[in-house]
Amino acid sequence: MSSYDSRLLNFVIFAPLVFAALLMLLPKNEKGQIRALTFVAMLVDLVLAAYAYVRFSNGGNAEFRLEYWASWVPEIGLGYHIGVDGIAASLVLMTGVLGPLVVMASWTFVQDKVKEFHLALLILQTAMMGALCSLDILLFYVFFEAMLIPMYLLIGVWGSEDRQMAAMKFFLYTLVGSLLMLVALLGVYLIATPAGAHSFDYASIYNGLIGASREVWACSKTGACNLSPAAMALKTYGPYMFFAFALAFAIKVPMWPVHTWLPDAHTQAPVAGSMILAAVMLKMGTFGFWRFAVPLFPSVAQGWQLPLAVLSVIGIVYGALMCLAQRDIKRLIAYSSVSHLGYCMLGIVAMTPEAATGSAYQMLNHGVSTGALFLLFGMLYERRHVRLISDYGGLAKVMPVFTAFFVIITFSSVAVPGTNGFIGEFLVLLGTFNSNLPLWVGVLAATGVVLGAAYMLLMVQKVFFGPVTRKENQGLSDMNLRELATALPFVILVVVMGLRPQPLLRVIEMSTKPFIARATLTSDTSDDKVRVVVRTPPTPEAAPAGGQVPAVGAVVPPEIRPEVRRPFGGGMKPMIQGAPTILPAPLMGAPEVQR
């Protein structure tokens, strides 16, 4: 890995923040310059994200790549450690694609506090990228929480009539779950790493729990409960910590029954807020289950497999039935998110390779299809400022191009073969039927496909076809060039991801195999399949000759021992010379817990 590659994700994460600093220098009344600079910032971030994705795809066989590590608060084991695996790289690319489209979608929609609006977009972009790239669990939490404030402002300041209620509901729901996760995070930190060498690094925490997790699994299956102190602590407190992580991420997904904040937030948010919320922020919940909740507590996750699958299926069916009952188009699209993300969760808890791959692909699909639905309805709302289905009718006669775009995205949402939605849902259902879940779980999940077609096609028929029912709709203009340029990338993605999914699936599958091995961890699972191996030099320049960087936990001979660079001052401090150094990570079984 080159020195530039090791810094590439830093540019992806912080480029929007640099442009936000430049944006603050512009006068508030220069709305055109503000929008243009923000668009350029998002375009730069897209180029960087796409380049990072390409470099990851061609980067060899390591699970995590493009890593960068720097000591941050060594006294508590907190480091700035970033890197991506297949699923994170794919979500980073999707976030990069969304950025410039969000700015274009809001070009004429937001007229008040334009500077503050675009600052919020840029800060939110940095927080989302940071959360996806974090390989330090506390660093992830910092970015995870940082997303709350700009999204709260987007909803509460630039939303519709009940925006303050919706923003407060969104904030409180997410904050409560996040605080519980913080408590659980500290518990894992104390159990997984030994006293005097505590670390928040993801590899250190996960690898430190492997031995204890195996003991807990054997205890639950065979009754042999001669547990080490770490395993005893994990057996006693693990279910509570899993519940805290799962609740925080379930709220973010959102899963039934903690989903009630989502329809209000989507309905009141401006078009940019709805697009970001649907395409990226909801995926922080499913990504959290994939990265943290399930792998850190595999025995608890296996014990809760059926209840979580049932909740996912309830979300699929309930969300679809709620869509059939909606008269507000934006609430209908919001409830469709609850249904579609139920497939993502079902794929994760099914714990089969097909289902997990389909879940990850469905995360991308949902970002494309639902993000596009909110974009297109935002264009319609900007013309009419009404949301009820009954306020429209016969729009195909006055807006034929817009109708064609909406119908194509609808086909994606209902998983018509040849579109991206079909690939993800088919793989999830196939993996669910091949899993150890009861057959009826897959059958009920499959009914969501039928219900999805029903509510979306009924809405399209009432809004776009038949006679023009209201005179206000007769003079509506069709899509202009800016709107075409904003919507066209979504249509291209629908077709390309539907007809040529293999390049994306190949990258996702790099993360699927390790995830399945960690989720189904047993006492006889090979260490090579489950251990998290990362390359974390204190500085990119510290790599030994040949560019090879020792993996965490590897013994480093004195002649290639790196120096530690303190990133916030302090200069260079050489490591103690003499005996070989072991890079810090508790890889040798379960650590003891200090009582």
Side-chain angles (χ1 to χ4, degrees):
M1 183 175 69
S2 69
S3 176
Y4 179 76
D5 281 350
S6 70
R7 291 174 168 82
L8 180 56
L9 292 181
N10 285 317
F11 296 133
V12 173
I13 295 170
F14 294 109
L17 206 59
V18 172
F19 278 94
L22 297 176
L23 191 65
M24 293 186 68
L25 302 177
L26 293 178
K28 289 186 176 183
N29 59 348
E30 294 291 346
K31 297 180 180 180
Q33 293 184 28
I34 290 170
R35 295 186 180 105
L37 182 60
T38 307
F39 178 75
V40 170
M42 295 296 194
L43 206 58
V44 168
D45 206 39
L46 167 59
V47 172
L48 291 169
Y51 184 62
Y53 184 84
V54 171
R55 295 297 297 172
F56 174 88
S57 302
N58 301 324
N61 297 320
E63 180 184 2
F64 292 98
R65 305 172 197 171
L66 306 180
E67 289 182 67
Y68 181 86
W69 184 93
S71 178
W72 189 5
V73 188
E75 292 79 9
I76 62 171
L78 173 59
Y80 175 77
H81 184 190
I82 57 175
V84 289
D85 60 354
I87 184 173
S90 301
L91 290 172
V92 163
L93 178 62
M94 185 181 70
T95 306
V97 169
L98 188 71
L101 301 180
V102 165
V103 178
M104 292 175 67
S106 305
W107 202 274
T108 57
F109 190 86
V110 174
Q111 296 295 334
D112 297 326
K113 299 183 176 67
V114 174
K115 183 176 181 179
E116 291 83 355
F117 175 83
H118 289 88
L119 282 172
L121 288 182
L122 291 171
I123 294 170
L124 182 57
Q125 185 83 349
T126 285
M128 293 187 298
M129 290 293 195
L132 292 170
C133 296
S134 295
L135 289 180
D136 183 284
I137 195 168
L138 188 58
L139 182 66
F140 169 82
Y141 182 82
V142 170
F143 282 120
F144 189 81
E145 289 294 275
M147 291 185 287
L148 282 181
I149 297 175
M151 180 52 72
Y152 172 85
L153 294 175
L154 288 177
I155 299 172
V157 177
W158 294 278
S160 301
E161 59 277 359
D162 294 327
R163 57 187 179 273
Q164 293 180 355
M165 176 275 296
M168 186 59 67
K169 195 172 182 180
F170 156 78
F171 189 86
L172 291 178
Y173 263 75
T174 309
L175 183 63
V176 169
S178 298
L179 292 176
L180 290 175
M181 182 175 70
L182 178 61
V183 175
L185 185 155
L186 294 174
V188 171
Y189 164 80
L190 294 173
I191 293 173
T193 53
H198 288 311
S199 173
F200 284 104
D201 192 83
Y202 178 71
S204 298
I205 287 178
Y206 177 80
N207 293 335
L209 288 174
I210 291 176
S213 296
R214 285 200 177 103
E215 292 182 52
V216 172
W217 184 90
C219 175
S220 64
K221 296 298 180 183
T222 66
C225 295
N226 185 20
L227 303 177
S228 66
M232 181 63 70
L234 190 62
K235 183 176 185 297
T236 303
Y237 301 109
Y240 302 104
M241 292 188 289
F242 174 79
F243 174 79
F245 274 97
L247 179 62
F249 296 135
I251 290 172
K252 204 76 168 184
V253 171
M255 294 180 68
W256 184 90
V258 290
H259 67 284
T260 56
W261 64 269
L262 182 65
D264 292 329
H266 268 316
T267 303
Q268 301 302 323
V271 59
S274 292
M275 290 174 66
I276 295 172
L277 198 59
V280 182
M281 287 192 67
L282 302 187
K283 310 311 178 301
M284 296 299 170
T286 51
F287 177 76
F289 272 100
W290 184 295
R291 173 76 84 239
F292 301 106
V294 173
L296 292 179
F297 310 98
S299 58
V300 183
Q302 291 173 48
W304 279 84
Q305 182 185 25
L306 182 57
L308 287 172
V310 170
L311 290 178
S312 301
V313 171
I314 291 175
I316 292 170
V317 178
Y318 167 84
L321 292 175
M322 287 298 293
C323 287
L324 286 171
Q326 294 305 309
R327 299 295 176 262
D328 184 311
I329 299 174
K330 212 171 184 189
R331 289 184 76 85
L332 185 152
I333 301 172
Y335 275 109
S336 75
S337 286
V338 177
S339 184
H340 289 306
L341 286 165
Y343 286 106
C344 295
M345 284 305 306
L346 182 61
I348 291 173
V349 301
M351 299 181 187
T352 59
E354 302 92 347
T357 302
S359 171
Y361 202 68
Q362 188 66 7
M363 294 182 205
L364 305 179
N365 294 336
H366 179 264
V368 172
S369 61
T370 308
L373 286 175
F374 279 117
L375 166 68
L376 293 171
F377 180 72
M379 296 175 185
L380 201 56
Y381 184 79
E382 193 172 357
R383 288 163 168 80
R384 288 280 282 110
H385 294 284
V386 288
R387 296 194 299 263
L388 296 181
I389 295 176
S390 58
D391 289 321
Y392 299 98
L395 294 186
K397 291 180 172 61
V398 295
M399 303 177 68
V401 177
F402 179 86
T403 302
F405 274 72
F406 203 100
V407 169
I408 292 171
I409 299 301
T410 297
F411 287 161
S412 167
S413 182
V414 303
V416 170
T419 66
N420 58 336
F422 174 77
I423 305 296
E425 291 188 11
F426 177 79
L427 286 173
V428 169
L429 291 174
L430 177 64
T432 301
F433 284 120
N434 288 337
S435 72
N436 58 0
L437 290 170
L439 180 64
W440 57 265
V441 172
V443 172
L444 287 177
T447 63
V449 178
V450 180
L451 293 172
Y455 66 72
M456 286 301 297
L457 294 178
L458 281 172
M459 184 266 287
V460 167
Q461 190 273 328
K462 292 178 181 178
V463 171
F464 294 99
F465 298 102
V468 179
T469 55
R470 292 182 179 272
K471 63 179 182 180
E472 296 91 338
N473 298 327
Q474 293 175 351
L476 293 180
S477 60
D478 211 338
M479 300 174 76
N480 57 40
L481 288 177
R482 176 185 59 82
E483 292 171 333
L484 281 170
T486 308
L488 187 60
F490 286 105
V491 174
I492 294 172
L493 287 172
V494 164
V495 176
V496 171
M497 292 174 67
L499 298 179
R500 192 76 173 89
Q502 197 54 44
L504 284 169
L505 290 176
R506 181 179 59 83
V507 173
I508 289 171
E509 285 170 356
M510 297 176 187
S511 298
T512 299
K513 292 179 181 178
F515 169 75
I516 296 300
R518 290 162 191 157
T520 56
L521 178 71
T522 63
S523 57
D524 57 352
T525 306
S526 168
D527 270 11
D528 293 337
K529 293 183 179 180
V530 297
R531 190 175 301 283
V532 176
V533 178
V534 295
R535 300 179 183 276
T536 55
T539 62
E541 298 85 353
Q548 296 297 313
V549 179
V552 167
V555 177
V556 184
E559 62 271 15
I560 64 171
R561 188 174 306 124
E563 295 179 315
V564 176
R565 183 187 300 275
R566 302 188 179 276
F568 304 116
M572 301 292 291
K573 180 180 179 181
M575 301 177 78
I576 298 173
Q577 301 297 318
T581 299
I582 300 179
L583 295 183
L587 301 184
M588 306 303 293
E592 293 192 354
V593 177
Q594 299 297 316
R595 298 185 179 275

